Amino acid sequence: MPPEGSLAKYYNPLINLIRQSPKPVIAAVNGVAAGAGANIALACDLVIAKESARFIQAFSKIGLISDAGGTWMLPHLIGYARAVALTFLGVPVYAKEAAKMGMIWKMLPDTEFDAYIDEIAKQLAKQPTYALALTKQALQRSAENNMNQQLELEQNLQYLALSSQDYKEGVQAFVEKRPAQFTGR
């Protein structure tokens, strides 16, 4: 059994908190995200990076393996071949290339970054957070489910969403042709 170290005490619980959080988690990468820092960012729901940002799987350069969920996240995000290359070679990936390969959601010019992060956070806060939590759950389960299992999960989660106050408010706002005021219930 491995000794209790920083992975068991800090990093793994943090990755689990990010992945299990009912709220959308944004990683705003504005510099170098290396090693566990890169993998913590990749565990987030929306990864947005400055154009000058870089992601580096630096573990092989010091005799370690990718951790903090990197061996799971990278292949799921960018495919096995790219994940192997990045983890074996430890080469930096600039934000523009990370966005092209599907590692991150969006790359922005450095000058637009802060305003965009604020805008996205405010937008998410105004949305039906309960439905977002259910959607996050469905998306995460899709990696382990077959199509029929996923359809059943969607059906069950949609039933929960249909019984929410946010759904009622969304329909009422649509009928009244006004912006919805969601409460997360």
Side-chain angles (χ1 to χ4, degrees), residues 145-164:
N145 286 346
N146 64 38
M147 178 59 95
N148 287 332
Q149 291 169 322
Q150 195 67 16
L151 289 170
E152 184 176 342
L153 176 64
E154 289 173 354
Q155 176 181 314
N156 293 336
L157 295 176
Q158 192 71 295
Y159 176 77
L160 295 174
L162 285 166
S163 64
S164 72

Side-chain angles (χ1 to χ4, degrees), residues 75-87:
H76 282 85
L77 291 171
I78 63 174
Y80 180 80
R82 285 181 173 159
V84 167
L86 293 182
T87 57

Side-chain angles (χ1 to χ4, degrees), residues 6-175:
S6 60
L7 286 175
K9 191 172 182 180
Y10 302 110
Y11 291 103
N12 294 350
L14 177 60
I15 298 300
N16 284 325
L17 279 173
I18 291 168
R19 301 296 292 170
Q20 294 169 7
S21 171
K23 297 177 182 174
V25 180
I26 302 170
V29 182
N30 63 3
V32 176
N39 294 334
I40 291 168
L42 297 178
C44 295
D45 301 308
L46 294 173
V47 184
I48 305 164
K50 281 186 175 181
E51 187 173 15
S52 61
R54 293 178 304 198
F55 298 83
I56 307 169
Q57 294 293 316
F59 300 96
S60 66
K61 303 223 181 249
I62 58 171
L64 292 175
I65 73 157
S66 181
D67 59 26
T71 60
W72 191 90
M73 287 303 303
L74 272 176
H76 282 85
L77 291 171
I78 63 174
Y80 180 80
R82 285 181 173 159
V84 167
L86 293 182
T87 57
F88 283 9
L89 302 174
V91 294
V93 177
Y94 282 87
K96 186 174 186 176
E97 184 64 22
K100 281 182 186 175
M101 68 171 65
M103 184 186 297
I104 68 172
W105 178 60
K106 193 172 201 75
M107 178 275 304
L108 293 165
D110 290 9
T111 57
E112 299 173 20
F113 182 77
D114 292 335
Y116 186 78
I117 295 297
D118 288 344
E119 178 186 324
I120 287 292
K122 287 175 185 172
Q123 179 183 344
L124 287 170
K126 290 178 183 177
Q127 291 186 314
T129 53
Y130 181 61
L132 294 181
L134 296 173
T135 301
K136 180 175 176 174
Q137 183 180 345
L139 289 168
Q140 288 183 344
R141 297 272 302 278
S142 70
E144 64 196 46
N145 286 346
N146 64 38
M147 178 59 95
N148 287 332
Q149 291 169 322
Q150 195 67 16
L151 289 170
E152 184 176 342
L153 176 64
E154 289 173 354
Q155 176 181 314
N156 293 336
L157 295 176
Q158 192 71 295
Y159 176 77
L160 295 174
L162 285 166
S163 64
S164 72
Q165 289 297 326
D166 278 350
Y167 170 70
K168 292 173 185 139
E169 167 60 15
V171 170
Q172 189 67 35
F174 177 79
V175 168

